Amino acid sequence: MALEFQKIAPTRVFQSVVDQIQAAILDGRLKAGDQLPAEMKLKEMFQTSRGTVREALRVLEQKGLIAIRTGAAGGAVVCVPDESKIKESLDLLVQCRKVTFDQLARFREEVEGGVAALAAASARQKDIDRLKALLEEARRLADGKSIDPKAFSRLDVRFHIAMAEIAANPLFVAVLRMVHENVLEAFERFSLTRNLLRENFQDLCDIVDAVKKHDTDRARLMARNHVRRFNEHLKKRNRKG
């Protein structure tokens, strides 16, 4: 498909280049794997400077919309946007302390409750089998001779990401992956007793049971209670620490 770009105004020139190329990618005129015209050709199409084109391409690369390849066959190639850029931005937001623990806790309750409800509404047998396999791993950890908080917390992360994937929304997957990777660090320092481990295991069992029965209301409630209990334990630990 022939590309047509508009001549751009002099104010924030590079942003106009970014906006037009981004629009072409998002509306499907440019598809993953397509190569953009060479810098000199883009310079002519936009009737701007080569430096402006290069700045625009750097911004598009930072957004994950294109990849810059070097060499004789190099150039700017359109990429499929993925969750990594979303996760990176959200991760910086949390690490810069723009989000408090209480805000993160409330966010998790609402989002993970909603994700559980969506998973319950759309889960197929293969999805339920996947969750049951994770439960079996959790059961072995809960019944093991020694307590391994790190192993259980990592399994808990896998469980929540699996729920988001069953809900079939990549935004949920990206956001929950970021949240859990931040929460995980605190959880691994958390002293997990046998009773707490079994309590968490029972929570997961209750969530899976609701998903299996396609009971959206109960799935939402069980997931929210699970998150709330986890957050309360973390707050108690922080007060003692």
Side-chain angles (χ1 to χ4, degrees):
M1 181 183 293
L3 289 173
E4 294 184 7
F5 294 121
Q6 300 174 8
K7 181 179 178 180
I8 55 183
T11 305
R12 287 182 61 81
V13 177
F14 81 91
Q15 188 60 52
S16 181
V17 177
V18 170
D19 292 344
Q20 290 193 56
I21 295 177
Q22 178 174 289
I25 294 171
L26 297 180
D27 66 20
R29 284 176 289 149
L30 283 169
K31 295 179 172 54
D34 286 350
Q35 185 156 356
L36 292 181
E39 286 183 5
M40 289 303 296
K41 179 63 177 175
L42 287 172
K43 172 180 175 294
E44 295 173 7
M45 295 172 76
F46 286 108
Q47 297 184 40
T48 188
S49 69
R50 192 170 183 180
T52 295
V53 169
R54 286 183 173 175
E55 179 65 19
L57 293 179
R58 278 196 292 270
V59 172
L60 290 164
E61 186 178 32
Q62 289 171 352
K63 289 187 172 191
L65 293 173
I66 65 170
I68 307 295
R69 297 175 181 172
T70 57
V77 178
V78 177
C79 299
V80 177
D82 59 34
E83 67 185 52
S84 62
K85 295 299 178 182
I86 302 172
K87 175 183 171 300
E88 183 178 315
S89 297
L90 291 170
D91 193 38
L92 286 173
L93 183 65
V94 173
Q95 290 186 28
C96 288
R97 302 182 185 277
K98 297 296 184 181
V99 178
T100 67
F101 178 85
D102 286 338
Q103 289 170 334
L104 183 60
R106 180 63 185 272
F107 175 83
R108 283 194 61 208
E109 281 187 40
E110 297 299 327
V111 172
E112 301 217 33
V115 165
L118 289 172
S122 60
R124 294 169 291 177
Q125 187 57 49
K126 69 175 185 178
D127 300 320
I128 295 167
D129 291 341
R130 179 185 180 187
L131 294 176
K132 285 182 175 179
L134 289 170
L135 277 186
E136 180 56 27
E137 287 187 52
R139 184 192 64 76
R140 288 196 295 269
L141 287 169
D143 293 340
K145 292 182 179 180
S146 59
I147 298 175
D148 189 342
K150 183 178 291 188
F152 193 89
S153 64
R154 290 192 184 282
L155 186 141
D156 188 73
V157 170
R158 287 166 55 203
F159 179 89
H160 287 286
I161 298 304
M163 291 285 287
E165 289 172 346
I166 293 168
N169 187 321
L171 281 173
F172 285 136
V173 177
V175 171
L176 289 185
R177 195 182 300 278
M178 182 280 300
V179 169
H180 278 282
E181 286 179 359
N182 277 276
V183 172
L184 178 60
E185 182 181 356
F187 193 23
E188 287 180 345
R189 297 194 301 267
F190 179 52
S191 179
L192 192 66
T193 66
R194 177 75 65 184
N195 286 341
L196 288 177
L197 192 150
R198 287 177 174 164
E199 185 179 271
N200 274 274
F201 170 64
Q202 186 58 53
D203 285 349
L204 302 187
C205 290
D206 291 340
I207 293 169
V208 173
D209 183 65
V211 170
K212 181 176 65 174
K213 294 175 179 175
H214 303 290
D215 188 336
T216 56
D217 289 340
R218 184 165 176 263
R220 179 184 287 107
L221 178 62
M222 293 298 99
R224 291 185 67 179
N225 287 346
H226 172 64
V227 171
R228 186 178 296 120
R229 189 156 29 239
F230 170 82
N231 290 330
E232 287 172 356
H233 289 318
L234 277 183
K235 288 188 80 168
K236 287 179 183 177
R237 180 195 66 81
N238 287 337
R239 289 192 199 106
K240 292 178 181 178

